[in-house]
Amino acid sequence: MGYAIWAKLASLCHATKLNPCLIAAQQLAKMRRKVSLLIAALAAPLFGQTYFPAPPSPLDNPPSAAKELLGMALFWEEQLSHADTVSCGTCHSFRTGGGDGRLAVHPGIDGLLGTADDIRGSRGVLRRNGPSAFAVDAAMGVAQQVTRRKAPSVINAGYSTMLFYDGRARSLEELALVPLLNHVEMGFIGRTEADLVQKVQQSRPLALAANVPQRLQTFIQGQSYATLFAQAFGSGGITGTRIANALASYVRTLNSDQSKYDHYLAGQVALSAEEARGLFLFERSGANSTSAAACSQCHGDISPTSHSAGPTFENLTPYGTPQQHNNFHNTGVRPIAEDAGRSQGTFKVPLLRNVALRAPFMHNGSLLDLVAVLDFYSRGGDFHQNQAPEVQPIQLTVSERTALLSFLNTLTDPRVQNELPPFDRPLLQSERNVSATIYGTSMTSGALVSVRLMAEGPAFLGKPAFVIGVAGIEPFQPAFLLLDVAGNPAGSTINGLNCWLGLTPALAPIFAGLSLTTANLVLSIPNQPLLVGSTLYAQWVVADSRASTGLVTSDALALVILP
Ligand code: HEC
Ligand code: HEC
């Protein structure tokens, strides 16, 4: 077949005198499309939820196809974040098992990076004191804030009645608005439901996304969110509750029960000898024995009953008290003082399906791979205050670790790993290109602080407010933003000031007022298609009587205008 295609290509090139590489690329793309359609068609009968029962929905939010599709659009909608940079799916991506594979580190309570209390969390947004007032974050400075816990998986979360690592949300409906209003994840300090609703109203559905799956394209069909909400809820109106209901309905479709282990539970396939030994070790009770791991005492979500009851689990610990919910345990990852979890260092037991896709592990992401997790359990955890009695040194041998590892690898659902329905999804703007980049270096002010430019997000045509801020200045210093159509990445020095702009005749200084701790300038991007692809350069100059130059300059911004 390969030969036939190349022969055809050669004759085509000859006939049309077109660039053969271009044609080859087009042919390959066509072939790939055909193959993926074929795979999708073959796999289609598997997409249904064959093993788990459907997760329960609250009576006032019954499932419907339109609501689920609206929820899907909202889940992947970067415009739900105030800065147009973060969607739910940014931190909960399927390729990484429903968690976050991007590396972002919070310095922890000691405020220092590179120490044992660091947290591998999720990158959110720059800190803002209001919609258009950047602020310096105590932990992250002028960089994007990072969550203080690792993002757990959204997959199979529909079966859970206590959500978050501390169980503080009782339903997906209750949970969904939390990240949207949170100033670290998607919002700004003081963001309200009304702000959110206004943002949704202003947004064209998935305007920033690419490769929108066909089922979602068919649903959206160029319509506005107002129309889509009316379609999903049977009457007009966008509200916070409806946003939460649609998101929750979508998350309830993200059910993963097609791993090799699931097919094994259903009697469809056999485990290899090594995988079966891993399962045996995982289930073996008697945690003190050197040959037993007894993981299933807490991780019951993958028990055979999950096919009848769903992947929920509450174990019966001998030490449970009314305050201590049985699905929360202190395994001894970090001292209680760093994060008490639900109480006394107890954290929700994570669901293990797709765990192999989800590194790093534990609530603080401190264990980088599954080998590190097995080492951790083998030595009986690290911190023993209020530690669960099931976690004991079990001295796993090398071959026991290998067996457990191959068992944990059977829990991966290929639909999750390959992002096939229901785990298909659009490509995010932030995964394709970054419109705002900061370059150059900043000067130090008379108060010995770096004068730093702050900006984030895509600058697309018609965007009402793109905010450019400057941090590190003192109250009542006059601040000017210089705008230019050319940059000068190598930089030049003029009268002791660093200049990162091309200094073309188009250079325009804009007075941003007298600063408090930051100054901010709000640009609205004109709806002028000619601007697409052009780059705007900007740099701050601040009057500073204590600086020897009388003025200080910031680093600079290159802003590509997107369609
Ligand atoms: C900036 C990253 C980030 C964004 C954006 C984000 N999340 Fe999360 N998500 C997290 C983190 C971190 C946690 C754990 C928080 C905790 O336990 O205190 C979490 C927890 C969850 C959980 C709980 C899972 C469980 O088993 O307990 C669900 C469900 C969830 N998020 C859904 C969403 C939805 C829906 C959105 C969009 C509205 C969203 N998330 C946006 C980072 C994020
Ligand atoms: C006492 C109950 C308990 C026992 C026993 C237990 N676990 Fe856990 N496991 C937990 C809890 C709770 C967490 C989350 C801890 C945290 O985030 O700090 C966890 C986390 C994990 C994770 C990380 C999941 C993620 O998404 O971050 C893996 C993998 C894991 N356990 C595997 C095992 C294996 C393998 C064993 C047996 C050797 C085992 N567990 C024994 C309660 C337990």
Side-chain angles (χ1 to χ4, degrees), residues 75 86-88 91-92 122-124 147 149-154 157 160 162-166 168 172 175-176 179-180 185-186 247 251 348:
F75 190 91
V86 179
S87 68
C88 306
C91 299
H92 296 286
S122 281
R123 199 174 308 112
T147 60
R149 285 183 184 149
K150 194 203 80 161
S153 182
V154 283
S160 205
M162 300 181 91
L163 295 151
F164 289 134
Y165 271 109
D166 48 17
R168 68 188 186 280
L172 288 168
L175 175 141
L180 290 163
E185 290 169 281
M186 300 172 89
L247 281 166
V251 174
K348 180 176 164 176

Side-chain angles (χ1 to χ4, degrees), residues 212-391:
V212 177
Q214 192 58 52
R215 60 188 175 123
L216 197 51
Q217 271 185 42
T218 312
F219 171 67
I220 296 176
Q221 271 186 20
Q223 302 179 92
S224 68
Y225 270 121
T227 313
L228 298 178
F229 271 77
Q231 217 165 303
F233 291 95
S235 64
I238 301 177
T239 63
T241 306
R242 285 182 167 191
I243 294 171
N245 283 357
L247 281 166
S249 301
Y250 170 62
V251 174
R252 288 196 185 94
T253 67
L254 303 175
N255 303 320
S256 163
D257 62 357
Q258 304 284 309
S259 66
K260 177 174 185 185
Y261 172 73
D262 284 297
H263 297 311
Y264 156 78
L265 279 186
Q268 305 286 320
V269 297
L271 296 183
S272 74
E274 181 125 283
E275 291 160 352
R277 179 150 179 262
L279 171 59
F280 173 78
L281 288 165
F282 190 88
E283 287 184 333
R284 180 84 178 266
S285 55
N288 294 325
S289 146
T290 49
S291 63
C295 320
S296 59
Q297 293 174 98
C298 300
H299 292 281
D301 60 293
I302 52 174
S303 71
T305 57
S306 62
H307 280 195
S308 51
T312 49
F313 177 68
E314 283 195 16
N315 78 343
L316 298 168
T317 51
Y319 56 94
T321 65
Q323 291 78 36
Q324 192 172 18
H325 190 276
N326 285 325
N327 214 20
F328 292 79
H329 299 273
N330 179 340
T331 54
V333 175
R334 291 297 304 161
I336 295 171
E338 280 178 20
D339 187 343
R342 182 159 183 79
S343 76
Q344 293 293 307
T346 58
F347 292 89
K348 180 176 164 176
V349 180
L351 304 181
L352 285 190
R353 278 183 179 79
N354 304 302
V355 69
L357 302 176
R358 248 178 16 231
F361 299 103
M362 305 308 197
H363 68 276
N364 63 347
S366 60
L367 302 180
L368 295 188
D369 52 29
L370 284 174
V371 174
V373 174
L374 294 177
D375 287 348
F376 167 86
Y377 281 114
S378 184
R379 62 180 181 262
D382 292 331
F383 294 87
H384 309 298
Q385 190 193 350
N386 193 45
Q387 194 183 21
E390 293 93 338
V391 181

